[in-house]
Amino acid sequence: MKLLKGLLWIAVPVILVFFISKTSPLLGLLFALISIGAIVFFLRADLCTAMGQMRFAKDHESGFRWFERALRSGKMRPHAQLVYAYLLLRDGHLDKAERLITKVTFLAREKLDDTMKCSAKLNMALVKWKKGNLDEAIADMEALYNEDNYRSTVHYGTLGCFYLLSGQYSKALEFNREGYEYNNTDKVIRDNLAQTHLLMGDMREAKELYEALIADEPAFLEPYYNYGQLLGQMGDYEGALKSYRKALTYEEKYLSTVTREQIFLAIQAMEARI
């Protein structure tokens, strides 16, 4: 229905321009310019959102400026606002992301489908984690799983990580195994499961999982740091050092669970052993 409505917005002016131009080319040109202006005005939020998504890939601040234009228009779609909120969160604009998620889920709750509502709750759990409320974040994520019956790769990856951060290794093992069954190709889920085995002392299983994961060249630093931890504990100091140095080739992000400082300290400790 939305697609048909969008096509009509374009098709009707084009048809009118065609027939008017046959009578008067100048009048047809004038009507075409007016029609283009009207379409741009009414679709300005969507156009600004699209520009924001394109620009964000190359320049985050430039992308944010386009998202802000869409937001200020008052016509930005609720789904697009939640995407913008997540990008803000991912870049560390915590308070702004929280305000936007709260606003959208309250004012536009009738326009959000169940998946979008669950996604918003997941992002709010990330906000709570970054604000130091890990227990509350876990409770919200468990409610998504148990009460909303929500299942997604991102949910498995996030809650599995939260269990590890909170030291709930037995619960992490059960949940991360389930996540692996849900999606055994996702690199975050695989890292979570391998790290769980590592933290529980099951070196053989952890090594097998990490060797397969590292072979797939994950593009984030945590697997390389964790694999370095495993190799160090197994006495392979050269291998650990190599893995730590590989971790440093990836950017530390706001939602990373390992810092570059941790990696530097691990390198220093390993170099002292060699």
Side-chain angles (χ1 to χ4, degrees):
M1 190 65 183
K2 288 182 180 179
L3 178 60
L4 178 60
K5 189 175 180 181
L7 290 173
L8 287 173
W9 267 99
I10 299 172
V12 171
V14 169
I15 293 170
L16 288 174
V17 167
F18 175 76
F19 284 109
I20 292 172
S21 296
K22 282 187 170 295
T23 304
S24 170
L26 184 61
L27 189 60
L29 176 61
L30 178 62
F31 186 79
L33 292 174
I34 293 172
S35 298
I36 291 171
I39 291 171
V40 169
F41 177 78
F42 284 108
L43 298 180
R44 63 193 184 282
D46 291 338
L47 294 172
C48 286
T49 298
M51 280 297 298
Q53 290 173 326
M54 286 190 293
R55 292 299 303 162
F56 186 84
K58 296 180 179 179
D59 181 350
H60 288 198
E61 290 308 314
S62 175
F64 285 147
R65 285 194 291 272
W66 281 102
F67 280 121
E68 276 299 307
R69 292 186 183 107
L71 190 62
R72 286 197 301 269
S73 74
K75 299 294 183 180
M76 193 178 192
R77 299 179 191 274
H79 173 70
Q81 292 184 54
L82 291 177
V83 170
Y84 178 31
Y86 172 72
L87 294 176
L88 286 167
L89 167 61
R90 201 180 74 170
D91 269 27
H93 303 286
L94 204 59
D95 291 335
K96 192 170 185 178
E98 182 178 17
R99 288 195 300 271
L100 186 53
I101 294 169
T102 302
K103 177 184 174 183
V104 175
T105 52
F106 178 74
L107 295 179
R109 56 189 178 277
E110 300 300 326
K111 297 180 180 179
L112 298 175
D113 60 27
D114 290 341
T115 299
M116 285 191 282
K117 288 176 182 176
C118 288
S119 178
K121 290 178 183 178
L122 192 155
N123 287 336
M124 282 299 289
L126 288 171
V127 169
K128 290 178 179 179
W129 163 50
K130 294 305 293 183
K131 285 194 167 186
N133 301 321
L134 179 57
D135 290 343
E136 196 173 335
I138 289 173
D140 288 352
M141 294 290 282
E142 288 178 337
L144 270 174
Y145 182 88
N146 295 317
E147 297 170 20
D148 295 303
N149 198 33
Y150 181 65
R151 306 287 186 275
S152 76
T153 296
V154 175
H155 183 273
Y156 276 113
T158 304
L159 183 52
C161 178
F162 283 175
Y163 282 143
L164 292 172
L165 291 173
S166 65
Q168 301 181 65
Y169 300 148
S170 295
K171 189 175 282 190
L173 181 61
E174 180 182 354
F175 189 77
N176 287 327
R177 278 176 172 167
E178 183 179 321
Y180 188 79
E181 291 176 5
Y182 180 85
N183 185 350
N184 63 9
T185 63
D186 182 74
K187 294 180 175 71
V188 172
I189 289 175
R190 293 165 67 187
D191 181 44
N192 284 344
L193 181 57
Q195 189 186 9
T196 306
H197 284 291
L198 169 61
L199 292 170
M200 296 185 76
D202 186 354
M203 301 299 183
R204 183 188 61 80
E205 188 68 26
K207 189 171 187 291
E208 183 178 324
L209 287 165
Y210 269 124
E211 285 178 345
L213 176 57
I214 297 301
D216 285 343
E217 300 181 342
F220 54 107
L221 57 82
E222 282 87 348
Y224 301 99
Y225 173 80
N226 293 329
Y227 187 45
Q229 294 277 287
L230 170 67
L231 294 175
Q233 291 182 38
M234 297 183 73
D236 182 359
Y237 304 142
E238 292 285 356
L241 197 57
K242 181 181 177 181
S243 192
Y244 289 143
R245 286 172 176 160
K246 178 70 173 178
L248 285 177
T249 65
Y250 293 95
E251 178 187 0
E252 177 190 342
K253 298 179 180 177
Y254 184 68
L255 297 180
S256 296
T257 57
V258 174
T259 66
R260 291 179 69 84
E261 182 181 0
Q262 284 177 275
I263 300 169
F264 280 122
L265 290 172
I267 288 173
Q268 289 174 2
M270 204 54 57
E271 286 176 338
R273 291 192 170 196
I274 296 175

